[in-house]
């Protein structure tokens, strides 16, 4: 089996995809921008061949790379990055070379917020009603219908990028000036008091969920960025049955196969949920590592098993909470890394700097710490976030 990994080097914590695929007997071929000697010996040893391109954004250059690897190694069975940024590139390459998996047309339902809403409704899952707006006239009409405050985000966009909270006439005018009708936006009412949470997992080649989990944020991502707040999110030991029911219905409606999924919800004050967004990939950052810590599992290995046609193997260990908690360089905290290790000992699974590209959203220093109870979770967050002043 020939498997092309797009960008095998970055992000660094995704490099185990290459290692585990090779261990599963897969012929792993890499295409990326980094020079070969930058990959390091472990990644070099996991790749049968590495083709360096000048720019992964140059689709024609990447297609030439795939064509070369096809010519040299035979038909390609998989092309994958597991990375939000390259999902469209992956799909275009699969289409060009007739490779298993999502093609460009299949991505429409996971790229556009408006299309996601249709499938959420089809799955019988509550949503917040939204409006697509292309002009200032449509924006004005949508605000009249929905009322303020609303959240405005690109209909085809990633995460909280270019997202605005419109809570006054002044905010609307500022948005209009910045927007300039340059792209299609999606408007939906702002959910007061909602807790941002997820239903995440992995589906096999038949579309069956073989792994599922959920995590909860301390604050919604838009507020996190705008306020430069301290971030914490927690992998849950158990999934709320109502959230699980909604999540499974959505996974069935989207009909994906041999993929990770990351579905975002707001939990309302009445305990119900509204579906926000379906992401056809792993949650970003160090979240996959946190899943592994919480459930004593190696999801890189389990994914490789599925690709190779083997069964998913569940862990026998008892689930734990895993807290992802960050500190920002702009603030002075009472407790540094040494103090955190001293307080929580072996429960600290790692401490890492966050890449600059994600620092504005998440913070600069990241800790993954496991816990057995909600009380321990609260104590971890309080201790790490406690400031000097």
């Amino acid at each position: 089996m020939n498997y092309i990994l797009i960008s095998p080097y970055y992000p660094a914590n995704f490099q185990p995809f290459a290692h585990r695929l090779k261990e599963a007997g897969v012929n792993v071929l890499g295409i990326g921008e980094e020079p070969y000697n930058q990959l390091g010996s472990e990644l070099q040893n996991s790749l049968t061949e590495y083709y360096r391109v000048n720019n992964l954004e140059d689709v024609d250059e990447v297609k030439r790379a795939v064509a070369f690897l096809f010519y040299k190694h035979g038909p390609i069975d998989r092309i994958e990055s597991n990375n939000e940024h390259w999902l469209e590139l992956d799909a275009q390459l699969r289409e060009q070379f007739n490779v298993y998996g999502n093609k460009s047309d299949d991505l429409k339902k996971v790229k556009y917020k408006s299309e996601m809403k249709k499938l959420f409704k089809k799955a019988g899952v509550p949503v917040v009603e939204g409006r697509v707006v292309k002009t200032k006239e449509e924006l004005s009409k949508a605000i009249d219908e929905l009322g303020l405050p609303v959240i405005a985000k690109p209909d085809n966009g990633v995460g909280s990028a270019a997202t605005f909270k419109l809570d006054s006439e002044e905010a609307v005018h500022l948005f209009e000036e910045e927007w300039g009708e340059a792209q299609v936006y999606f408007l939906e009412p702002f959910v007061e008091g909602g807790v941002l949470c997820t239903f995440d997992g992995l589906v096999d080649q038949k579309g069956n969920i073989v792994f599922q989990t959920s995590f909860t944020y301390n604050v919604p991502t838009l507020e996190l960025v705008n306020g430069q707040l301290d971030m914490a999110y927690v992998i849950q030991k158990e999934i709320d049955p109502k959230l699980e029911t909604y999540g499974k219905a959505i996974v069935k409606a989207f009909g994906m196969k041999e993929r990770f999924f990351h579905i975002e919800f707001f939990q309302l004050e009445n305990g119900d949920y509204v579906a926000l967004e379906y992401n056809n990939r792993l949650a970003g950052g160090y979240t996959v590592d946190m899943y592994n810590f919480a459930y004593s599992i190696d999801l890189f290995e389990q994914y490789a098993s599925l690709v190779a046609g083997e069964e998913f193997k569940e862990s026998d260990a008892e689930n734990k909470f895993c807290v992802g908690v960050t500190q920002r360089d702009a603030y002075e905290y009472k407790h540094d890394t040494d103090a955190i290790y001293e307080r929580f000992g072996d429960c600290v699974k790692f401490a890492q700097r966050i890449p600059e590209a994600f620092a504005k959203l998440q913070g600069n220093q990241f800790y993954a710490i496991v816990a057995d109870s909600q009380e321990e979770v609260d104590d971890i967050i309080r201790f790490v976030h406690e400031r000097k002043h």
Side-chain angles (χ1 to χ4, degrees):
M1 170 182 266
N2 291 322
Y3 188 116
I4 291 180
L5 259 181
I6 302 295
S7 187
Y9 178 81
Y10 183 85
N13 67 315
F14 278 20
Q15 290 181 22
F17 277 118
H19 310 326
R20 302 299 179 266
L21 284 162
K22 186 191 179 187
E23 290 163 9
V26 175
N27 191 41
V28 189
L29 310 165
I31 299 176
E33 296 177 0
E34 293 79 16
Y36 182 71
N37 60 9
Q38 189 179 327
L39 303 185
S41 59
E42 189 178 9
L43 185 54
Q44 288 171 351
N45 291 335
S46 293
L47 300 174
T48 302
E49 182 149 1
Y50 177 71
Y51 192 112
R52 182 181 178 271
V53 294
N54 291 314
N55 185 3
L56 281 171
E57 304 281 359
D58 185 339
V59 177
D60 288 335
E61 186 185 14
V62 180
K63 283 180 178 178
R64 287 194 294 273
V66 176
F68 173 81
L69 295 172
F70 189 118
Y71 170 77
K72 188 169 178 181
H73 296 276
I76 306 300
D77 300 285
R78 298 289 188 275
I79 298 175
E80 186 59 70
S81 64
N82 282 307
N83 190 322
E84 174 87 58
H85 191 76
W86 304 119
L87 290 186
E88 292 184 49
L89 173 64
D90 297 343
Q92 286 178 270
L93 296 172
R94 291 189 202 106
E95 202 163 303
Q96 176 85 28
F97 295 93
N98 193 28
V99 173
Y100 172 92
N102 291 333
K103 311 299 192 291
S104 295
D105 281 351
D106 300 319
L107 288 191
K108 187 180 179 185
K109 60 190 174 187
V110 295
K111 279 169 53 182
Y112 295 95
K113 311 287 190 299
S114 51
E115 294 298 321
M116 291 176 196
K117 294 274 186 186
K118 294 174 187 174
L119 282 171
F120 293 155
K121 289 179 178 178
K122 181 183 173 187
V125 177
V127 297
V128 178
E129 289 298 335
R131 301 284 186 277
V132 174
V133 297
K134 300 176 184 176
T135 65
K136 290 179 182 178
E137 287 77 19
E138 290 177 356
L139 175 70
S140 179
K141 184 180 177 186
I143 288 172
D144 284 343
E145 292 174 356
L146 300 173
L148 294 178
V150 296
I151 295 292
K153 47 192 171 185
D155 193 28
N156 177 15
V158 176
S160 60
T163 297
F164 300 83
K165 181 182 179 182
L166 310 182
D167 54 5
S168 66
E169 290 298 327
E170 184 186 4
V172 173
H173 292 314
L174 288 172
F175 168 69
E176 285 178 337
E177 288 176 18
E178 190 159 338
W179 170 41
E181 301 180 357
Q183 65 187 125
V184 179
Y185 258 75
F186 189 75
L187 259 64
E188 58 189 11
F190 177 73
V191 178
E192 295 285 355
V195 175
L196 185 60
C197 60
T198 73
F199 180 73
D200 297 358
L202 175 65
V203 291
D204 64 15
Q205 292 176 354
K206 295 177 182 175
N208 300 315
I209 297 174
V210 291
F211 172 78
Q212 61 184 38
T213 180
S214 172
F215 65 82
T216 302
Y217 284 97
N218 63 331
V219 288
T221 47
L222 184 61
E223 293 175 32
L224 191 71
V225 178
N226 291 347
Q228 289 295 280
L229 305 175
D230 289 323
M231 183 184 82
Y233 64 106
V234 184
I235 309 291
Q236 300 295 307
K237 281 175 77 169
E238 297 173 350
I239 304 172
D240 180 350
K242 180 175 275 191
L243 177 63
E244 182 179 354
T245 298
Y246 287 157
K248 285 181 171 178
I250 288 171
V251 170
K252 187 175 181 181
F254 276 78
M256 297 300 177
K257 296 177 180 176
E258 197 186 277
R259 292 203 66 79
F260 290 95
F261 59 86
H262 167 55
I263 311 171
E264 295 179 352
F265 293 83
F266 265 136
Q267 183 176 22
L268 307 177
E269 290 174 332
N270 65 6
D272 204 357
Y273 296 85
V274 290
L276 299 176
E277 199 166 310
Y278 182 104
N279 296 281
N280 205 30
R281 50 146 179 104
L282 275 165
Y286 298 115
T287 311
V288 62
D289 306 283
M290 291 171 59
Y291 298 153
N292 289 338
F293 297 139
Y295 301 117
S296 302
I297 198 170
D298 184 336
L299 278 172
F300 300 107
E301 180 183 358
Q302 297 305 327
Y303 170 78
S305 293
L306 293 186
V307 170
E310 304 292 329
E311 293 292 312
F312 186 93
K313 302 176 195 70
E314 295 204 20
S315 168
D316 294 330
E318 186 180 349
N319 294 350
K320 290 179 176 287
F321 291 99
C322 187
V323 187
V325 57
T326 68
Q327 294 178 336
R328 295 184 184 273
D329 290 350
Y331 307 132
E332 282 194 80
Y333 296 90
K334 273 194 174 181
H335 311 293
D336 62 8
T337 298
D338 289 341
I340 290 166
Y341 270 104
E342 189 176 331
R343 173 70 177 267
F344 300 109
D346 292 343
C347 292
V348 183
K349 294 303 179 181
F350 69 48
Q352 297 275 355
R353 292 295 289 176
I354 292 173
E356 202 55 44
F358 306 109
K360 185 180 180 187
L361 169 63
Q362 298 177 342
N364 304 95
Q365 180 69 27
F366 181 91
Y367 301 94
I369 307 174
V370 294
D372 289 314
S373 68
Q374 185 61 50
E375 289 74 26
E376 289 177 18
V377 167
D378 295 339
D379 183 46
I380 289 165
I381 296 170
R382 192 165 46 243
F383 187 85
V384 175
H385 283 169
E386 191 174 0
R387 297 186 192 173
K388 285 186 177 177
H389 305 296

